[in-house]
């Protein structure tokens, strides 16, 4: 057997192995479709069937056990529609890669998957797979497999495959392969075949017809309504991530050392946006700044904490032993900062007046953060109070940033961030 | 407070608050990486978000194995894919990374380290994956692992990672961490050098294409699968120059060994490090990733106090450039600072036997501080 698609007639399978029949029918189908070898990419999985690469004159890609389908999907998504991608897998590969089959069918990658279902793992000595039918014997289950075998066609059809078809690996089934390859989108062709070395020997007298009938596996041809196949469709209008609003240094600061600030409140109360305004304002005042955010994985509930460092010199290391200033606007924030506050030996704790005063060696000042403009402005309000008390940089810098920010649309920035408070 | 900070001449600056993720993704895209494959995991979230915004093509994968397999398919067809993950995802990728290494498929994995083991603390930083990355390829094969030590490195090394991946026909890991990727800093975007993607050349010969026939630099030419001129064979199994499964044949063994040696032979091309040596110093501080920032601060403080000390910041972590070995061997005392329990860079440099005069400064669940590094240098 040599032709345009098969260069080497000596197939790497045991005599009588069903895999040989799949290869011959594949070649016949590709001829029927008038394809040339370089129109075809054959992606093979691990298993006896996957030894076939060197026989084919098509492009060949030989991957990992169970992963031929997503590998083929990546290839198919990158190639133009005229190229045909075929993935050979076994029933073992289908089991370990079941999620890949479902995903590829669901997304409709333009791939034809041919499952060499010989109902066992041939390469490793005949262990049962998920697709081994109930009662089918293999060397490691001589009394027959317990439990049902997988119905791959039905499963993959349910995931949305364009075509799912089961055939018996006997005689000429090239028409089924041709139909699968010719179509657009995801096709699965399951070929039920015998492994003479481990399957036939342990199930004497049972034909493939008997096996599929007893297992309730219909030789059916299932389809879904046509859908466009998944291909990479590059965008051309991706803007630069560096198109950011620059900060101009319109202010100056008299800060002469590095200070660290912890701004702690509740999720949804503008802690991170206030910290960002504060950080940008500090940069506008000529300072070097770092900002990190900390919040639980459920971002909409619980604490929200921002850690800031400000320095007149470039900052390298971004963690302080203890914060110089802790600003707490809510009970969530106080709970999170509790351990930090209790360890403070110096520094200044600014606390919303609604909160209980914690034990600390730091100086403590209670102020109204939540009242002046509501909880959503509490963090910004606390930031302003810090600047009024400690003049790290001009309050006007924060006012300018807050005035530009989309987060302050409902806040009277001029009043909240006035240089002196009028209450 | 006395006044020190003065407004700098701002005319040619573009000051912004940026995180490392932004610079990494922008640099990768400008350098020619064209497809982002995402599977969400903290602390690689920003990379994912930026990747989907910035890359010409982006695909959401259902898991990390699929991500690497799709990427292998894209790469086989001549694209340059990128993904970002953290330890749990990288663990799932290891077999597929081996496949990409064997098939010699250019791609980038940005590995954002977080505190393990296992799921650990997703939002806590760490430098705990260096030895995992080092041993990821079965057989102990070398492959390029780069690590930014500051924001400008995020820009430079991301570009270098793309160039190295294509030049070596190899997966490249950009090993970084939560702190580097998510902490925002003031940064002058105007200081970033321009990036021009190198034109990528594919095999143009008339002879049949042998996917694993190496050039002098041990790297084979590349031709995308699906070519209409030549057959292309790629395989994850032991193979000869044509990509034919070949078991233990001498040609196949030579090919397997070549996969390791090509990373070593071309190491000079992608070796990046900072060395700041001081005359008379008997101690070398060595630190990577964000701990390098603490080390720089510690070294500056020590020098201000009159203590001579040198600093090595490795950015090409693996394979270990010979210059690191030569440098550490010149110092009777070496202090290796890193955010892990067992001293992973220390072990990479000195092995399990260690060496007299070598000490580690280590921490988990928090950053190593400049004061700790300075104390280790001062201690006798
Ligand atoms: S072991 Fe079974 S599946 Fe494998 S080649 Fe032989 S007959 Fe075919």
């Amino acid at each position: 057997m040599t032709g345009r698609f098969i260069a080497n007639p000596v197939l790497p399978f045991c005599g009588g192995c069903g895999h040989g029949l799949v290869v011959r029918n594949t070649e016949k189908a590709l001829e029927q479709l008038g394809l040339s070898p370089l129109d075809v990419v054959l992606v093979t999985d691990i298993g006896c069937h996957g030894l076939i690469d060197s026989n084919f004159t098509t492009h060949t890609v030989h991957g990992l056990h169970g992963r031929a389908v997503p590998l083929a999907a990546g290839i198919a998504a990158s190639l133009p529609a005229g190229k045909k991608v075929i993935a050979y897998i076994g029933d073992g590969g289908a089991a370990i890669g079941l999620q890949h089959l479902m995903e590829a069918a669901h997304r409709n990658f333009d791939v034809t998957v041919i499952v060499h279902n010989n109902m066992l793992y041939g390469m490793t000595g005949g262990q049962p797979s998920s697709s081994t039918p109930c009662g089918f014997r293999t060397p490691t289950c001589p009394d027959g497999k317990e439990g049902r075998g997988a119905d791959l066609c039905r499963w993959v059809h349910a995931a949305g495959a364009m075509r799912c078809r089961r055939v018996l690996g006997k005689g000429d089934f090239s028409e089924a392969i041709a139909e699968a390859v010719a179509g657009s989108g995801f096709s699965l062709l399951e070929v039920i075949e015998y492994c003479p070395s481990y399957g036939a020997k342990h199930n004497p007298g049972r034909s493939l017809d008997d096996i599929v009938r007893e297992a309730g596996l219909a030789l059916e041809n299932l389809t879904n309504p046509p859908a466009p196949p998944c291909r990479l469709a590059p965008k051309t209008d991706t803007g630069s991530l560096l198109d950011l609003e620059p900060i101009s240094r319109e202010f100056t600061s008299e800060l002469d050392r590095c200070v660290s600030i912890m701004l702690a409140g509740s999720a949804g109360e503008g802690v991170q946006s206030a910290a960002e305004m504060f950080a940008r304002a500090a940069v506008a005042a000529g300072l070097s700044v770092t900002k990190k955010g900390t919040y639980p994985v459920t971002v909409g509930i619980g604490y929200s904490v921002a850690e800031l460092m400000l320095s007149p010199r470039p900052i390298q290391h971004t963690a302080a032993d203890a914060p110089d200033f802790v600003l707490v606007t809510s009970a969530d924030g106080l709970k999170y900062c509790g351990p930090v506050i209790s360890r403070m030996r110096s520094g200044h704790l600014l606390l919303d007046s609604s909160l209980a005063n914690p034990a600390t060696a730091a100086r403590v000042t209670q102020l109204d953060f939540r009242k002046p403009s509501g909880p959503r402005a509490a963090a910004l309000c606390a930031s302003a109070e810090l600047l009024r008390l400690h003049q790290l940089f001009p309050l006007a810098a924060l006012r300018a940033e807050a005035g530009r920010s989309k987060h302050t649309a409902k806040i009277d920035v001029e009043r909240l961030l006035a240089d002196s408070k009028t209450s | 407070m006395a006044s020190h900070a003065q407004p700098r001449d701002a005319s040619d600056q573009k000051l912004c608050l940026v995180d490392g993720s932004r610079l990494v993704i922008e640099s990768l895209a400008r350098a020619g990486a064209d497809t982002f494959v995402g599977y969400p995991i903290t602390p690689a979230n920003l990379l994912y978000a930026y990747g989907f915004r910035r890359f010409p093509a982006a695909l959401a994968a259902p898991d990390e194995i699929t991500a690497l397999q799709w990427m292998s398919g894209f790469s086989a067809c001549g694209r340059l894919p990128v993904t970002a993950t953290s330890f749990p995802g990288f663990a799932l990728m290891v077999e597929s990374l081996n496949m990409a290494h064997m098939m010699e498929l250019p791609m980038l994995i940005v590995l954002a380290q977080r505190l393990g083991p296992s799921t650990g603390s997703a939002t806590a930083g760490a430098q705990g994956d260096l030895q995992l990355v080092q041993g990821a390829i079965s057989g102990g094969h070398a492959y390029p692992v780069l690590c930014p030590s500051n924001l400008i490195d995020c820009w430079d090394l991301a570009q270098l990672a793309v160039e190295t991946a294509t030049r070596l026909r190899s997966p490249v890991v950009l090993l970084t961490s939560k702190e580097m990727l998510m902490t925002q800093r003031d940064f002058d975007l105007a200081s970033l050098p321009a990036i021009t993607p190198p034109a990528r050349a594919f095999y143009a010969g008339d002879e049949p294409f042998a996917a694993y026939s190496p050039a002098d630099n041990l790297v084979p030419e590349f031709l995308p699968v699906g070519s209409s001129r030549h057959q292309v064979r790629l395989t994850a199994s032991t193979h000869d120059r044509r990509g034919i499964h070949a078991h233990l044949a001498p040609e196949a063994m030579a090919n397997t060994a070549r996969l390791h040696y090509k990373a070593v032979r071309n190491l000079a091309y992608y070796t990046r490090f900072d060395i700041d040596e001081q005359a008379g110093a008997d101690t070398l501080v060595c630190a990577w990733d964000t701990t390098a920032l603490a080390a720089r601060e510690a070294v500056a403080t020590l020098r201000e106090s009159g203590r001579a000390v040198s600093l090595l910041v490795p950015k090409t972590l693996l394979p270990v450039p010979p210059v690191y070995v030569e440098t550490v061997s010149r110092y009777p005392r070496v202090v290796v600072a890193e955010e892990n329990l067992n001293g992973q860079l220390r072990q990479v440099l000195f092995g399990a036997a260690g060496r007299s005069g070598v000490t580690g400064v280590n921490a988990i669940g928090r950053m190593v501080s400049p004061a700790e590094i300075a104390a280790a240098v001062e201690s006798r």
Side-chain angles (χ1 to χ4, degrees), chain B residues 330-372:
Chain B
R330 283 192 281 107
Y331 285 84
R333 298 182 71 236
V334 181
V335 173
V336 188
E338 48 194 323
E339 199 177 324
N340 56 45
L341 210 53
N342 62 336
Q344 302 204 354
L345 179 62
R346 186 160 34 105
Q347 296 211 31
V348 165
L349 291 174
F350 299 101
R355 196 201 77 184
S356 71
V358 174
T359 50
V361 182
N362 300 82
I364 56 166
R366 64 174 179 82
M367 298 175 81
V368 175
S369 74
E372 289 172 295

Side-chain angles (χ1 to χ4, degrees), chain A residues 348-410:
Chain A
H348 195 173
L349 169 64
L350 275 62
L351 201 62
D352 185 74
S353 49
S354 66
L355 301 170
N357 213 332
T360 178
R363 179 182 153 205
V364 182
T365 304
Q366 290 202 295
L367 292 158
D368 280 339
F369 298 147
R370 304 177 71 82
K371 274 184 193 159
S373 235
R376 284 183 170 274
L380 190 60
C381 180
S383 307
E385 292 291 7
L386 175 68
L387 293 180
R388 286 190 189 104
L389 288 166
H390 290 279
Q391 293 88 42
L392 304 175
F393 58 82
L395 192 53
L398 182 60
R399 203 158 51 233
E401 267 306 320
R404 279 191 283 267
S405 171
K406 63 180 189 301
H407 299 291
T408 54
K410 293 179 185 162

Side-chain angles (χ1 to χ4, degrees), chain B residues 134-172:
Chain B
Q134 184 186 31
I137 305 295
S138 181
H141 280 207
Y143 65 105
V145 178
L146 309 176
C147 174
S149 72
N150 55 29
L151 286 186
I152 195 81
D153 284 349
C154 288
W155 184 260
D156 290 342
L157 294 189
Q159 177 193 14
L160 180 65
V162 175
E163 290 174 357
T164 304
T166 42
R167 190 182 171 106
L168 266 68
R169 250 190 82 172
S170 171
V172 172

Side-chain angles (χ1 to χ4, degrees), chain A residues 58 107 235 241-242 254 316, chain B residues 2 14 22 56 60 185 231:
Chain A
T58 61
R107 288 192 182 236
K235 304 173 270 183
L241 295 171
L242 306 187
E254 297 184 352
Q316 303 271 358
Chain B
K14 187 181 176 187
R22 184 181 291 273
R185 290 171 175 272
Q231 181 192 36

